[in-house]
Each structure stands twice: as structure tokens, then as C-alpha cells.
């Protein structure tokens, strides 16, 4: 190790003496220098750099060689070109890396993706002769590996030529996703992150500042189109929408582009393009007086040194960018000063390939060093990766390389894939796709001084981490700009799509009974459960209050007391009627039929007790079944009783035979029995197919659940029709007998009772239609109890009064006298 360090020191010392001697000689005379594009060595590296850029290719009608020197000069690419030269020189001066082996290079100005093939073919040939389809050991290229190219389109053009012989191609800038496909590009690696990583950082920036409405402008080539597709896939499922996208080329009408962006009211503009396209776009934005925008620069132009100096650049808005971290490469500045400090003369010897004419001899060192440093470390890392791979291929770990080993490019490729070394404190490795398995991105802000100030970073390895220091950004609008197609809805309002973009919407307040949950579904109002409620515009639901009429309710207790009182009265009347069974009053009231009515009234009264407490399946059935069944018998009895009264006084004399048949076959009992059986069948089938059952009524109150019994209209239509029909018949017959003798005028009493019955249920129906609450059940019980009391009080109570207090009117003679007076009057 000491000997190696001493040798390295001596090498640097003699190199300094040579440079000093060269400088002293050139200060006195003009010396022709060796080409910057070529260096002899034991092993040759190829370099492809677009020092000139063919921005507007001309359509040709005959084959012509491209003259790169006539194209626009890219100073930043020339810096990268010099960085490869420096890296090779540094490795050649190293005693640790390839100690007794020298590297040479052949670098070509790859200014055009379709006209720069002469240099590519020379790299692939043996002594200038290409041997297609030769066996790999015979078709030996002079080149061990290739550094380049810059653009994805250029790489796509030339990479297949290197892939067929598995010549390693390590690109420092081609980031299109296609190169990760090893079945198509088996010997392609890169030291720059693929587009998907840049897009990930850009999307993270947008999500950090809550920008959802964006324009994506990209160069119309493989690099830009790939970035656009990756961006569309990345924002799928996010809140970000692509409001406008456009591919840019030399014929783009920038004025129309900016009009479209303004028409869409877009604030944030992503520019995914190389430096020459971005320069044309930004300069046009300044000329078009575009203001108050946020520009997000891709890594290809975010460190541009010329644009921040453009007059009016600060008027267009705030410029953020994604860039490779700025890495200072020790010794590179001295290399440029020594290289450009020499006096260059016009070389009269013409190069074999016109693309090696650089026309850059007049450049000053500061011009090169102060230019955009993008992709400098990737170039440096690419050269060192190849050198380490060749080092391992030649088994140089012992301090000397085994020169007896014949190295082939595919052997270098195998070692490249296993790369694991550290350079400038950065561990360099590749994944299975040949993409860098290391590094990070910086997030920069173009400040007032024209510098790309680092404000954050995005680490990929070893752990994913994203950070932005908002305090370092000086927004043109003084605060973080918004970029939305539509403003966010207020809490409790859902989004209604307005157009094809999910970011464009209208707001609609969620109605009562629903709530809004942005994280669950921003486009729908979610229904509350049956046991919950919510007001309009709610973000959550509340539990409903359960309500029913308990037995302890004051109203319920009063009704049950009334029901028991009815039973007591009915029993008392039954006893009174039994004692006075043979008296005219009891006989005229119905005789034995009175006891049937008393019994049915008591049985109907059972329904009242099931209207209170929490509803169950059995209690729901019992709410109506006893009342409908036994009250039907009561009404049938009164129909028969009113018919008999009218029949005796008005019909018997005219139709004596009909009267005899009615008496002979006990017509009244047949009618009552038939009515009872019919109603029983109606109720049986109704409760079999659609029984009443507990129901949670949630529509009456927004915050309450009323526990009621749900009843099918179809199940109870038959019983109700039968009841109404009996009422109608009873009313007709009783009305016909309104002029009968006073003591026989039960018809008037029945008519009055029917009127009370009808009035009771009209009141109930009216209240039920206007007011819905748990009290409806109490009112229903009151209506049933009132229906029972109407006959008990207004039909039987007067009879009881005569029996008890006016016994003189309860004699046979009294009744016969009334009948004779009625007959005489008729």
C-alpha cells in the first residue's frame, strides 16, 4: 500500500511537470494538441455525447453526412464529455483501480439519432471492418463498454447494435422505462434513475402542496411520451387530474398551448423535457406574459444556468424542480483549467468523421465549470462502474492485473451486473433491470438570485423518505398557490361529477338520513343504518332513540283501568239482565242475544292490553285479532236485532210466510254464525300469509325509531270490509225503525251508537294522517275502548236504568199499551 501511494504521488508529480513544460512551450509557440475525442489505451471505452444538438433535422433528397459542428452547441453536454475524459485520466493515474492497465477512449459527438452511425459502426468494427453474423470470438470489437447516450431516443436507435454482442452500454441520462426490459436490452445499464422515479417525486411534490389540477408538457419523443404515460398511471387512484397535456417539438405553437392552459384554469405546469425544449417553452412564456404559474421542472433542466438569468423569468411564477443531487467531483476543476489553459491551434488535419470537429477551443474554464451540472455524477459513476468491472474481470485485486486474461465485453457485462463499490461516498449497485439501486433526488427552488436552491429531497435507498422545507420557498403569490378544477366541498357535501375529470365537480349537501365520509367515498352520501339518524350535511350518524308506549305510561294505565272497568260493568249488567231475564226490557233488548254481546265485548276488550309494551310477533297479532273477530259478532247481533225490530213492526204483516221461515229456522243465529265463520276465515288466512309483525318506523322522526306493528293492507282488507258492511246494514235497519214505540225504540239507540262508532274512527284516521308518533298506538287503544263503550253505555245502560229505577215501565201491561197506541195510530 505504501509503494502504491508512492507510485501514485510520483505519477502526479511527473504529470504536473509535463503540464508545466507544455504550458511553457505553448506560451512561446503554437503546439498542435492531440484530439480530445481519442485516447490510446490497453482497453478502449466508447463515449456518446451530444455536444451538438440536431434540433431541426432537414428533409434530404440525397444521402448526406451530418455536420455536427454546424448544429447548436450544448455546453452542459460538453462538460459531461470532459468529465468522461477526466474520469479515465483519474483511473489511469490510480494505483488501486486497474493498477498496471491503461484505459483509452473513443468519444463521438452523437448529435443526431439517425445520422451519427459512422462513429457507431467504427466502434463495432475490427480494424475498421464490420463482420456481420460472425461468431462472437471472431467479431472482436475494440470497445469493452460504451458510456452513453444522453437521450432515450438516441439510445433506442443505437443500443440494439451493441446488444447483439452483449457489449455493455452504461447510459448516464437515458431514463425511458423501455430500457428496464432485459429481454430487449440485455447489456444495457444506467447510472441515472428511470423516469418512474422522477415521476414519483413530481407526484409527491403535487400531493405535498395539494395540487390536483395540472398540465403536463413533454417533449414529443420516447423520453417525453414515456414520462407522460408513467404520470397518467401514477396519478390513477389519486386526487390528481391531468387537465391538459401536450407534446412539444420545434413546430409547437406555444401561444396556443398557453391559451389552452388558461382556458382550463390550470396553475401547475409540469415540464418533462430536455434543456433545449424547456428553454424554448420558458422563453415563450416570458414573451406571452404568462404569470402566476407553478412550474415543475424535470431533472433534465432543473439545474439550468441560463434560464434563471432571462429577463422577466420571475414574472412567470414559481419554479420548482427535481434534480440529481449536486456532487462536487474533486480534481475536475483543476483538470479543466489545465486542459483549457493550453493554447490550441487550428488543426489542419481533417478528421475521418465530421462529427469530431468540436469548434470549442475558445471556451474558457469558467464557462465549462459554471454550466448546468446535471448528470455529472452519473457520467462519473458510469466510467468508474466499467473500470471496476474490468478490474474484476482482469483479477486485479492482488495489486496487479492479469494481462494474460483475454477480456471480452460480455465478461465485463457480467461483472457490471454485480457491481458493488463506493465512489465519492456513494455506494453504486444495480438491480436486476440494470437500473441504479442507490441514490436520491433533490427538490430545488429557483430563488431570486437565480440559483437552484435545495429545499428538500427524496431518498430511494436504503429507505424511502420525502421531505420539503416550505419555509425556503418564496411564492410569487405570497402564499402556497392552489391548483384545482373545483374548490373542495364543505363538510357534509358530496361531489357531483362535472365533466370527464374527477377533479371537476359540483357540491351537493347530503340529505338527512345520510352522511358524508371523504375517505370512504367522496362522490356518494352514505345511508345511515336503520338504528341511526343524521341531519342534512352530516359527517356521521347518531343512534336513534327507541320509542314505544310502556305499560308504565300514564295514558296506558288509564286506558287499562278503563278496560277493566268495562269488564266489571259488563259482568254487572250480565248479572242484572240474568236476574231480570223474563222482563219486557231484557226481552226487547235482545234476550239471550244480550249475553252473547256482553261476552263478545269482554273478549274484544282483550286487544286493548296488547297496545302497550315493546311489540312482539304475538302481541302484534293480538292487537287486532280479538277485536276484529268478536266485535264482528257484536255488530252482527245488532244487525239482527235492528232487523228483527223493523221486521216485526213493518214487514211481518205484509210477508207472513217470510216471517214464519225466519222464526222456524232461527234466521238470526244463522246470520250471526255465518258472519263469525266468515270473519274467522278472513283473519286465519290473513295471518297465515301476511301476519302483523314488529316494525321499526324511522320515517316519522329523523332522530327516533318508533316501535310499531307492521300490518299488511292485503291481510286485513277482508275483515275491514266485513265490519264496514255490517255497520252499513245495521245503520239502514236502525234508521228504518226510528219511529217505533219509545220503549221499543232500540233502533234509535243503535243508530246513536253507530254514529259514535263512526265518529270515533273518523277522528282516529284524521289524527293518524296528520300526526305520527308513539301516541298513535295509545289513540288506537282509545278508539277500540270507545267502540266497546259506545254500545255498552248508550244501548245497555238505559235498559239498566229502567230495570233499577223505573220498574213500573218494565211490565207487560205497559209495553202492550204502547204497542196498541202505535197500531191505532198506524
Amino acid at each position: 500500500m505504501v509503494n502504491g501511494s508512492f507510485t501514485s504521488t510520483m505519477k502526479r508529480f511527473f504529470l504536473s511537470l509535463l503540464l508545466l513544460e507544455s504550458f511553457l512551450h505553448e506560451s512561446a509557440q503554437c503546439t498542435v494538441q492531440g484530439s480530445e475525442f481519442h485516447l490510446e489505451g490497453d482497453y478502449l471505452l466508447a463515449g456518446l455525447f451530444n455536444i451538438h444538438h440536431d434540433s431541426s433535422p432537414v428533409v434530404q433528397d440525397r444521402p448526406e453526412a451530418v455536420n455536427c459542428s454546424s448544429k447548436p452547441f450544448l455546453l452542459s453536454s460538453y462538460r459531461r464529455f470532459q468529465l468522461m475524459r477526466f474520469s479515465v485520466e483519474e483511473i489511469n493515474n490510480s494505483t488501486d483501480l486497474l493498477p498496471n492497465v491503461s484505459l483509452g477512449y473513443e468519444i463521438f459527438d452523437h448529435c443526431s439519432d439517425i445520422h451519427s452511425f459512422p462513429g457507431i459502426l467504427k466502434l463495432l468494427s475490427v480494424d475498421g471492418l464490420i463482420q456481420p453474423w460472425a461468431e462472437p470470438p471472431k467479431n472482436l470489437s475494440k470497445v469493452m463498454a460504451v458510456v452513453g447516450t444522453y437521450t432515450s431516443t438516441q439510445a433506442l436507435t443505437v443500443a440494439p447494435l451493441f446488444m447483439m454482442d452483449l457489449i455493455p452500454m452504461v447510459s448516464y441520462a437515458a431514463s425511458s422505462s423501455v430500457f428496464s426490459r432485459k429481454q430487449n436490452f440485455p447489456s444495457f445499464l444506467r447510472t441515472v434513475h428511470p423516469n418512474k422515479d422522477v415521476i414519483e417525486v413530481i407526484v409527491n411534490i403535487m400531493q405535498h402542496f395539494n395540487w390536483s389540477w395540472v398540465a403536463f408538457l413533454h417533449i414529443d419523443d420516447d423520453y417525453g411520451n414515456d414520462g407522460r404515460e408513467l404520470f397518467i398511471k401514477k396519478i390513477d387512484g389519486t386526487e390528481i387530474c391531468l387537465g391538459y397535456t401536450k407534446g412539444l417539438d420545434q413546430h409547437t405553437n406555444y401561444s396556443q398551448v398557453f391559451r389552452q392552459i388558461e382556458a382550463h384554469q390550470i396553475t401547475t405546469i409540469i415540464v418533462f423535457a430536455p434543456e433545449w425544449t424547456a428553454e424554448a417553452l420558458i422563453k415563450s412564456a416570458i414573451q406571452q406574459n404568462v404569470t402566476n404559474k407553478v412550474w415543475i421542472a424535470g431533472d433534465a433542466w432543473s439545474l439550468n444556468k441560463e434560464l434563471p438569468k432571462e429577463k422577466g423569468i420571475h414574472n412567470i411564477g414559481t419554479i420548482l424542480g427535481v434534480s440529481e443531487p449536486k456532487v462536487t467531483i474533486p480534481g475536475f476543476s483543476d483538470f479543466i483549467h489545465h486542459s483549457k489553459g493550453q493554447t490550441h491551434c487550428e488543426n489542419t488535419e481533417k478528421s475521418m468523421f465530421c462529427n469530431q470537429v468540436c469548434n470549442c477551443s475558445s471556451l474558457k474554464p469558467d464557462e465549462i465549470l459554471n454550466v448546468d451540472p446535471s448528470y455529472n455524477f452519473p457520467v462519473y459513476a458510469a466510467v468508474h462502474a466499467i473500470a471496476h468491472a474490468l478490474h474484476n474481470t482482469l483479477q486485479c485485486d492482488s495489486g496487479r492485473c492479469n494481462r494474460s486474461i483475454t477480456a471480452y465485453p460480455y465478461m465485463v457485462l457480467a461483472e457490471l451486473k454485480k457491481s458493488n463499490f463506493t465512489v465519492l461516498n456513494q455506494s453504486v449497485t444495480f438491480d436486476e433491470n440494470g437500473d441504479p439501486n442507490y441514490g436520491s433526488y433533490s427538490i430545488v427552488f429557483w430563488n431570486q438570485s437565480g440559483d437552484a436552491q435545495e429545499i428538500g429531497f427524496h431518498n430511494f435507498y436504503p429507505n424511502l423518505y420525502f421531505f420539503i422545507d416550505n419555509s425556503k420557498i418564496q411564492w410569487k403569490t405570497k402564499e402556497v398557490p392552489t391548483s384545482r378544477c373545483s374548490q373542495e366541498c364543505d363538510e357534509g357535501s358530496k361531489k357531483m361529477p362535472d365533466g370527464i375529470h374527477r377533479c371537476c365537480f359540483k357540491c351537493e349537501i347530503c340529505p338527512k338520513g345520510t352522511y358524508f365520509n371523504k375517505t370512504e367515498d367522496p362522490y356518494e352520501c352514505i345511508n345511515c343504518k336503520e338504528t341511526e339518524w343524521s341531519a342534512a350535511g352530516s359527517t356521521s350518524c347518531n343512534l336513534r332513540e327507541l320509542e314505544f308506549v310502556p305499560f308504565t305510561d300514564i295514558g296506558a294505565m288509564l286506558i287499562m283501568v278503563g278496560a277493566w272497568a268495562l269488564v266489571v260493568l259488563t259482568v254487572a249488567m250480565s248479572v242484572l239482565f240474568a236476574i231480570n231475564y223474563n222482563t219486557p226490557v231484557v226481552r226487547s233488548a235482545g234476550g239471550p242475544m244480550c249475553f252473547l254481546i256482553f261476552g263478545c265485548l269482554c273478549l274484544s276488550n282483550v286487544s286493548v292490553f296488547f297496545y302497550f309494551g315493546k311489540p312482539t310477533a304475538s302481541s302484534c297479532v293480538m292487537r287486532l285479532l280479538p277485536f276484529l273477530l268478536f266485535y264482528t259478532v257484536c255488530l252482527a247481533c245488532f244487525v239482527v236485532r235492528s232487523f228483527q225490530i223493523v221486521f216485526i213492526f213493518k214487514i211481518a204483516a205484509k210477508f207472513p210466510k217470510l216471517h214464519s221461515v225466519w222464526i222456524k229456522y232461527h234466521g238470526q243465529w244463522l246470520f250471526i254464525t255465518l258472519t263469525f265463520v266468515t270473519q274467522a276465515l278472513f283473519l286465519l288466512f290473513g295471518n297465515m300469509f301476511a301476519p302483523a309483525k314488529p316494525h321499526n318506523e324511522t320515517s316519522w322522526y329523523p332522530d327516533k325509531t318508533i316501535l310499531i306493528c307492521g300490518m299488511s293492507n292485503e291481510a286485513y282488507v277482508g275483515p275491514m270490509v266485513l265490519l264496514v258492511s255490517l255497520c252499513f246494514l245495521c245503520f239502514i235497519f236502525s234508521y228504518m225503525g226510528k219511529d217505533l214505540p219509545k220503549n221499543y225504540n232500540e233502533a234509535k239507540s243503535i243508530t246513536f251508537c253507530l254514529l259514535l262508532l263512526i265518529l270515533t274512527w273518523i277522528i282516529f284516521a284524521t289524527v293518524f294522517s296528520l300526526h305520527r308518533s308513539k301516541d298513535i298506538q295509545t289513540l288506537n287503544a282509545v278508539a277500540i275502548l270507545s267502540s266497546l263503550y259506545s254500545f255498552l253505555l248508550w244501548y245497555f245502560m238505559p235498559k239498566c236504568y229502567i230495570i233499577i229505577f223505573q220498574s213500573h215501565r218494565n211490565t207487560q201491561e205497559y209495553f202492550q199499551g204502547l204497542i196498541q197506541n202505535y197500531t191505532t195510530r198506524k
Side-chain angles (χ1 to χ4, degrees):
M1 181 63 71
V2 175
N3 291 337
S5 177
F6 176 76
T7 306
S8 176
T9 303
M10 292 302 295
K11 280 187 177 182
R12 291 190 177 91
F13 175 72
F14 286 117
L15 178 62
S16 300
L17 289 178
L18 290 173
L19 289 172
L20 179 60
E21 181 182 3
S22 175
F23 174 75
L24 292 174
H25 279 287
E26 287 175 4
S27 63
Q29 61 179 1
C30 180
T31 304
V32 177
Q33 301 296 320
S35 173
E36 290 182 321
F37 293 86
H38 174 75
L39 178 68
E40 293 293 338
D42 297 324
Y43 295 94
L44 194 64
L45 302 186
L48 300 176
F49 294 85
N50 56 338
I51 299 174
H52 296 85
H53 174 60
D54 191 7
S55 59
S56 54
V58 180
V59 178
Q60 300 173 348
D61 55 4
R62 61 186 298 273
E64 293 181 8
V66 64
N67 182 4
C68 284
S69 61
S70 65
K71 306 300 179 182
F73 181 73
L74 298 178
L75 185 55
S76 58
S77 190
Y78 181 71
R79 173 187 168 118
R80 292 187 281 269
F81 158 81
Q82 292 291 349
L83 193 57
M84 178 177 175
R85 296 182 61 236
F86 165 75
S87 302
V88 171
E89 179 181 303
E90 183 182 54
I91 293 168
N92 285 338
N93 290 334
S94 171
T95 57
D96 298 325
L97 188 58
L98 296 172
N100 59 325
V101 170
S102 64
L103 290 180
Y105 52 75
E106 192 75 47
I107 304 178
F108 287 89
D109 184 4
H110 194 204
C111 67
S112 172
D113 59 324
I114 58 175
H115 291 121
S116 293
F117 278 96
I120 306 301
L121 298 177
K122 179 180 179 181
L123 293 176
L124 291 169
S125 65
V126 180
D127 296 329
L129 178 63
I130 296 178
Q131 300 178 9
W133 314 117
E135 291 297 325
K138 295 180 182 179
N139 187 23
L140 298 177
S141 171
K142 299 177 294 183
V143 174
M144 286 290 103
V146 182
V147 177
T149 60
Y150 178 70
T151 70
S152 296
T153 299
Q154 291 171 341
L156 280 170
T157 304
V158 304
L161 300 176
F162 296 103
M163 299 299 107
M164 59 185 179
D165 284 334
L166 293 180
I167 298 175
M169 186 174 182
V170 185
S171 177
Y172 53 86
S175 56
S176 177
S177 301
V178 69
F179 299 115
S180 296
R181 302 175 188 169
K182 292 302 102 178
Q183 64 270 29
N184 301 114
F185 300 94
S187 62
F188 189 96
L189 297 93
R190 51 186 163 193
T191 52
V192 66
H193 284 276
N195 283 340
K196 68 180 182 64
D197 291 344
V198 182
I199 293 299
E200 180 180 348
V201 180
I202 290 175
V203 171
N204 284 341
I205 292 173
M206 296 191 62
Q207 291 177 330
H208 177 81
F209 292 111
N210 202 23
W211 295 327
S212 61
W213 190 232
V214 61
F216 192 93
L217 306 181
H218 61 94
I219 186 172
D220 191 12
D221 66 2
D222 301 281
Y223 164 73
N225 293 330
D226 179 64
R228 180 197 60 201
E229 295 303 319
L230 288 171
F231 181 75
I232 292 173
K233 291 180 181 178
K234 187 67 178 178
I235 64 175
D236 185 31
T238 70
E239 294 294 322
I240 301 172
C241 293
L242 182 57
Y244 177 74
T245 182
K246 176 68 175 176
L248 309 176
D249 55 30
Q250 64 271 20
H251 305 297
T252 298
N253 185 340
Y254 291 108
S255 177
Q256 184 178 4
V257 170
F258 294 129
R259 282 199 300 270
Q260 288 290 330
I261 291 174
E262 286 298 328
H264 287 82
Q265 297 180 337
I266 297 174
T267 303
T268 305
I269 304 172
I270 299 171
V271 183
F272 199 79
E275 54 188 301
W276 52 87
T277 303
E279 286 177 357
L281 174 70
I282 298 300
K283 289 178 181 178
S284 178
I286 295 172
Q287 294 174 359
Q288 298 288 332
N289 196 28
V290 176
T291 58
N292 295 330
K293 301 295 181 186
V294 176
W295 305 80
I296 301 180
D299 57 337
W301 68 281
S302 58
L303 299 181
N304 190 289
K305 297 291 186 178
E306 299 298 324
L307 279 178
K309 300 175 183 177
E310 285 288 325
K311 184 179 180 180
I313 185 69
H314 299 299
N315 296 330
I316 67 172
T318 304
I319 300 179
L320 304 178
V322 180
S323 73
E324 293 278 345
K326 299 175 184 178
V327 178
T328 301
I329 300 176
F332 181 59
S333 177
D334 293 338
F335 172 80
I336 294 297
H337 279 91
H338 291 153
S339 176
K340 289 301 172 181
Q342 303 172 29
T343 303
H344 290 263
C345 301
E346 189 66 29
N347 192 352
T348 56
E349 181 183 353
K350 294 299 181 182
S351 175
M352 183 180 296
F353 300 100
C354 62
N355 68 344
Q356 299 305 289
V357 178
C358 180
N359 66 12
C360 51
S361 59
S362 61
L363 289 175
K364 297 179 181 179
D366 289 343
E367 292 181 88
I368 301 173
L369 294 173
N370 293 331
V371 79
D372 180 358
S374 298
Y375 305 111
N376 285 352
F377 181 76
V379 172
Y380 187 77
V383 176
H384 276 263
I386 296 171
H388 277 83
L390 184 59
H391 179 95
N392 294 334
T393 302
L394 297 176
Q395 301 175 0
C396 302
D397 289 335
S398 61
R400 293 186 62 83
C401 297
N402 189 349
R403 298 178 69 93
S404 64
I405 297 176
T406 304
Y408 296 112
Y410 71 89
M411 298 167 64
V412 177
L413 173 64
E415 294 298 331
L416 262 173
K417 292 180 178 179
K418 297 185 290 183
S419 293
N420 190 357
F421 64 94
T422 300
V423 59
L424 300 183
N425 298 321
Q426 178 67 67
S427 179
V428 177
T429 58
F430 299 98
D431 62 17
E432 64 276 7
N433 297 320
D435 296 330
N437 205 14
Y438 61 90
S440 62
Y441 272 112
S442 295
I443 301 167
V444 297
F445 158 66
W446 287 15
N447 58 27
Q448 295 292 331
S449 302
D451 297 324
Q453 178 185 354
E454 185 173 312
I455 60 170
F457 54 86
H458 184 107
N459 285 343
F460 292 101
Y461 308 98
N463 297 312
L464 190 65
Y465 187 74
F466 177 84
F467 171 76
I468 291 181
D469 187 351
N470 295 345
S471 63
K472 293 183 178 180
I473 306 175
Q474 299 173 353
W475 302 102
K476 302 302 177 185
T477 54
K478 305 303 180 183
E479 57 184 12
V480 180
T482 58
S483 185
R484 293 183 173 277
C485 180
S486 302
Q487 292 301 316
E488 278 297 315
C489 296
D490 295 333
E491 289 291 327
S493 296
K494 69 175 182 178
K495 299 176 181 178
M496 296 289 291
D498 184 17
I500 62 174
H501 296 286
R502 63 179 177 277
C503 295
C504 303
F505 50 83
K506 297 177 181 178
C507 297
E508 182 179 290
I509 297 177
C510 289
K512 63 181 181 180
T514 66
Y515 71 97
F516 177 75
N517 188 332
K518 181 179 181 180
T519 57
E520 189 170 347
D521 190 347
Y523 297 95
E524 289 295 336
C525 296
I526 305 169
N527 292 322
C528 294
K529 298 177 182 177
E530 287 190 359
T531 57
E532 298 175 335
W533 71 279
S534 67
S538 296
T539 57
S540 62
C541 294
N542 304 308
L543 283 175
R544 285 177 174 270
E545 181 182 352
L546 290 177
E547 283 200 350
F548 59 91
V549 182
F551 286 101
T552 55
D553 183 76
I554 295 178
M557 290 190 291
L558 290 175
I559 291 172
M560 288 186 287
V561 169
W564 281 113
L566 184 139
V567 173
V568 172
L569 283 174
T570 303
V571 172
M573 289 182 182
S574 298
V575 172
L576 182 64
F577 272 47
I579 295 173
N580 298 277
Y581 180 74
N582 292 317
T583 60
V585 171
V586 174
R587 304 286 291 182
S588 66
M593 196 177 293
C594 293
F595 299 102
L596 177 61
I597 295 173
F598 286 143
C600 288
L601 288 176
C602 286
L603 292 173
S604 298
N605 193 44
V606 172
S607 293
V608 173
F609 295 94
F610 291 96
Y611 277 89
F612 311 112
K614 190 174 183 179
T616 63
S618 57
S619 67
C620 285
V621 172
M622 292 299 292
R623 284 187 179 187
L624 283 181
L625 190 147
F627 176 71
L628 291 176
L629 182 60
F630 296 109
Y631 202 71
T632 298
V633 177
C634 291
L635 286 177
C637 291
F638 284 109
V639 169
V640 169
R641 183 64 190 143
S642 59
F643 172 75
Q644 284 181 324
I645 295 172
V646 174
F647 190 78
I648 291 172
F649 285 93
K650 294 191 176 185
I651 301 177
K654 298 180 181 179
F655 303 99
K657 290 184 178 181
L658 181 61
H659 180 260
S660 62
V661 172
W662 177 266
I663 297 297
K664 180 179 179 180
Y665 292 103
H666 304 286
Q668 69 273 28
W669 298 112
L670 285 175
F671 180 79
I672 294 171
T673 303
L674 180 63
T675 303
F676 173 77
V677 171
T678 302
Q679 187 70 297
L681 290 174
F682 278 148
L683 292 171
L684 175 64
F685 288 113
N687 284 284
M688 283 178 59
F689 296 106
K693 54 187 177 181
H695 171 67
N696 295 336
E697 182 56 63
T698 58
S699 62
W700 294 356
Y701 291 95
D703 58 344
K704 297 178 182 179
T705 296
I706 309 299
L707 301 183
I708 64 172
C709 290
M711 300 178 184
S712 172
N713 293 331
E714 293 80 4
Y716 290 95
V717 65
M720 296 306 297
V721 168
L722 182 57
L723 273 177
V724 172
S725 300
L726 290 175
C727 286
F728 181 72
L729 287 174
C730 189
F731 187 81
I732 291 175
F733 292 137
S734 61
Y735 184 77
M736 290 173 63
K738 65 181 185 302
D739 58 343
L740 293 177
K742 185 176 181 181
N743 276 31
Y744 274 94
N745 204 357
E746 282 84 2
K748 288 184 179 180
S749 299
I750 294 173
T751 302
F752 182 73
C753 292
L754 287 173
L755 289 174
L756 288 178
L757 177 66
I758 294 171
L759 180 62
T760 296
W761 289 102
I762 288 176
I763 293 173
F764 171 77
T766 303
V767 174
F768 182 80
S769 62
L770 297 177
H771 177 70
R772 301 292 181 91
S773 71
K774 67 176 182 178
D775 298 328
I776 288 296
Q777 299 170 87
T778 303
L779 186 62
N780 200 344
V782 170
I784 291 175
L785 199 60
S786 176
S787 301
L788 301 178
Y789 269 109
S790 63
F791 285 109
L792 190 66
L793 296 179
W794 304 108
Y795 182 78
F796 289 107
M797 187 61 74
K799 307 295 188 290
C800 294
Y801 179 79
I802 292 174
I803 293 172
I804 297 173
F805 297 106
Q806 295 182 350
S807 56
H808 66 280
R809 297 174 59 186
N810 191 18
T811 61
Q812 190 71 25
E813 294 78 9
Y814 184 79
F815 271 79
Q816 286 179 350
L818 293 175
I819 294 172
Q820 287 176 359
N821 291 335
Y822 176 78
T823 305
T824 304
R825 199 167 57 249
K826 289 292 182 180

